[in-house]
Each structure stands twice: as C-alpha cells, then as structure tokens.
Amino acid sequence: MTEDGLFKDLQEIRRDLHSRPELGFQEVKTRAYIEEKLRGLQLEVREAGGGLVASLKKGRGKTVALRADMDALPLQDEKDVPYASKNPGVCHACGHDGHMAMVLGAANLLREADFAGEVRFLFQPAEELPPGGAQAMRKAGALGGVDAIFGLHLDPFIPFGSITLREGPMMAAADRFEIHIKGKTGHGAIPHRAVDAVVAASEAVGALQALVSRFTSPLEPLVLTIGKIQGGTAFNIIAGEVEMIGSVRTFNPGLRDEVPALMERVLKGVTAAHGAAYTLQYTRGYPPLINHPEEARLVRDTVETRWGAGAVQILEKPLMGSEDFAYYLEEIPGCFFFLGSYRGGEGISWHNPRFDFDEEVLPRGARLLEKIALEYLEKGRERGRG
Ligand code: NI
C-alpha cells in the first residue's frame, strides 16, 4: 500500500468515526462500523465483553495483541471542521477515533506482511467510564492465548511523531471511597446528650492523612483526598450524620491493597472515641498501569530504529492519570505508550471540546503498531529456535 493510499484510507475512517461518536458502553454503531472494516480485511471477528476481537493468523508462532478504545466523551464538539460531531453533546475529544483508525491500519498492513504467528486486534468499549471495558473483555477471554499486548494513546503535548513511555509503573491506580459517620442528632446547646458527627468527621479527616505521613513508606507515592464533605442541618442542631467522599491514588499494588484496612483502623478508632459509628465503602477503580520492561524496550528499540533516538522520551516519573489498559497488563506482559499528535503551537488538551490531532499521525501510528507486532513475533521465533 502506498503511503498516500494509507493516509487517505485512515483519514476517511477517522473522520467517519469522529462525526458519529458514541459514549462508553453505547458504542453500537461504532462497533458495527469497525466490524465491517475488519470483515472487509477478511479477518476472523468475534464479539467479546461488548467489544470486538479480530484475529490474523499466519503459521505457527506467538500471539501478539494491539488494542484500541472506542468511546467518546459527553462534550459538545466546538470544532469548526467538516468532520465535527453530528451527535449533539458527544465528542471524540480524547483521540480514540484515531486509535481505532491506527489499529485498523495496522491490521491492513499486517495482512500483507510476512510473519509466523497470530496478531489479535482488540476494540474495547468505555475506556473513559469506570469500571471500563477492558475488564469485561478480559473476562470474555479476549486475551486467551495472547503472549503480549501493546496499546498507544495520542498525546497533544509531546513533539509530533515522538513517543513517551516508561518501564514499570507509568500511570496511577485511582480508587474511590465513601465514608458515612453516624452520631446522634441533638440540641446545639446540650452536646452531652448528642453524638456530634461533625466533630468526629473533622478528626477523621485529619487522622486519615496519617496514612500518607506515618503509616506508609515515604518512598511510595500515595494521595488520599477527601473531595466532598456534607453534614448537618442548622446552626443550633448537632449533626447526627456526615458523608464524605474521596479518592486514593497509588502506584504500588501492595500499598494499594493495604489502604482500605488502614482507613478502617483510623475510622474505627476515631469514631469509637466519640461514641459514633461509621461505614466505609471502598471502590477500586483502574489498577496502576505497569509496563513490562522487555516489551517497553521492544517499543523503544522499534521507534529508535525507525525514527531515530530523539523520537523516544523516557518519562522520568509516572503520570497521575489512569487507564484501563492496566487490566491487560495485570494478566499478560505488554506496553502502553503515548504518541505525539499535534503540530504547530501549543496542543489542545484531551477532554477539551476543541481537542483534535494532525491526521498525518495516523499512518505513522499504524506503521509503528505494525512494526511492533512484527518485531515481537520475530523475537518469539528467535527465542523458539534458541
Ligand atoms: Ni483517552
């Protein structure tokens, strides 16, 4: 396929998808569109966990997967372009339309390529909407027999066509909690006949910060934020109930596991001192995204070989954002990375109603995904021989 042909093909796909975005877990037309494209490439396609899995097999060898996410965001598209969203209040403002086009492009290129093994293409729903689509696809067996998985995200803030990545922890786990403190409502002037939930909650807010400062290692990042607190009814009534909601961010999976029990310990002690009661509801969001060293190196080497050493920037520190690609990496090796998608001036942020990218990135990303898959399968063959 010529470069120009590839560009035009992917631009058309991207614009089709961009003009009819759908929200997470509602990607019905998007899925039908992708399925038709995949069948057009004569790939085996099946539905899995609300997404699609397509497979391209040539001979015996390893299996490598490439993943794209399909969902858009609840935003009104503010771009003045012919391919702007026709769906009011819904917009591909995170570049997932580009991800789908690039993975389809890679599938097309790989069809013509020479390799031994299988390439699996995953199109998952709802990356933006916890619990996310990755878990459902994993449970539906999308990763069955897959040896490694790779995925990318467009990034408007790094130089066009370059990539950033990190071996090991790259993105945070994001959990959510709700605390309910129950005291006894009473007269504001007669505190000893009441149990003041506001005073108990105030102490709990301060005491919970000891998780960060005293109960866990200072060398492991942990954020505990109470984002909302609500209780009481009037100036002269002692509040019988307080609700608090918040977020916990971690990178270390062991530390993440410890947090709910430590919170219980603090809440139990503080509320007991006041004669109050509590409940803690802790909901785990996406796990930390941890890139496997060997696969991260493969991505880095592939990019450096093709685009030069300057095209790879290693992130010194992880990012506090989260990504449900992390679920795949919990099960099998792989690597997730960012691909610079904006040219000329300051990029417009993800999740902004004017977010867009330079479409020249589409063939570049598709070729890169193709090469990553081929490199992986080739390495597997060498290992098999050795
Ligand atoms: Ni995104």
Side-chain angles (χ1 to χ4, degrees), residues 69 94-96 99 127-128 153 323 350-351:
D69 36 13
C94 200
H96 299 187
H99 304 166
E127 191 284 317
E128 303 281 359
H153 204 296
E323 225 311 328
W350 301 282
H351 297 207

Side-chain angles (χ1 to χ4, degrees), residues 168-173 251 287-291 323-326 329 335-336:
M170 186 163 94
M171 296 178 81
F251 292 101
L289 187 143
I290 301 174
N291 277 332
E323 225 311 328
D324 75 346
F325 192 84
L329 296 182
C335 177
F336 185 77

Side-chain angles (χ1 to χ4, degrees), residues 13-73:
I13 291 172
R14 180 271 161 146
R15 291 186 173 196
D16 284 346
L17 291 166
H18 195 88
S19 63
R20 42 179 140 155
E22 293 171 298
L23 294 175
F25 297 116
Q26 299 172 32
E27 302 95 331
V28 180
K29 288 181 182 154
T30 305
R31 201 173 53 203
Y33 180 91
I34 299 282
E35 185 171 353
E36 199 191 304
K37 290 284 175 195
L38 290 167
R39 290 200 192 282
L41 297 174
Q42 277 90 46
L43 301 188
E44 262 176 57
V45 190
R46 69 183 174 94
E47 191 272 332
L52 291 171
V53 179
S55 162
L56 177 62
K57 282 183 206 153
K58 295 187 186 184
R60 290 170 64 83
K62 296 250 177 200
T63 299
V64 61
L66 302 174
R67 171 269 209 171
D69 36 13
M70 302 193 288
D71 55 326
L73 288 156

Side-chain angles (χ1 to χ4, degrees), residues 310-384:
V312 180
Q313 202 189 322
I314 304 294
L315 289 167
E316 213 173 293
K317 297 201 165 86
L319 308 164
M320 288 316 283
S322 60
E323 225 311 328
D324 75 346
F325 192 84
Y327 284 114
Y328 303 124
L329 296 182
E330 277 189 335
E331 197 169 312
I332 56 170
C335 177
F336 185 77
F337 60 96
F338 290 92
L339 174 62
S341 59
Y342 199 80
R343 228 183 331 215
E346 171 99 340
I348 295 173
S349 173
W350 301 282
H351 297 207
N352 179 296
R354 303 191 70 82
F355 175 90
D356 205 352
F357 55 84
D358 188 322
E359 289 167 330
E360 296 279 349
V361 80
L362 298 172
R364 196 171 169 94
R367 288 260 179 227
L368 177 59
L369 290 171
E370 177 210 11
K371 293 297 175 235
I372 287 170
L374 291 175
E375 283 292 327
Y376 184 83
L377 294 173
E378 186 55 36
K379 275 213 162 132
R381 196 145 63 165
E382 282 164 18
R383 263 198 303 265

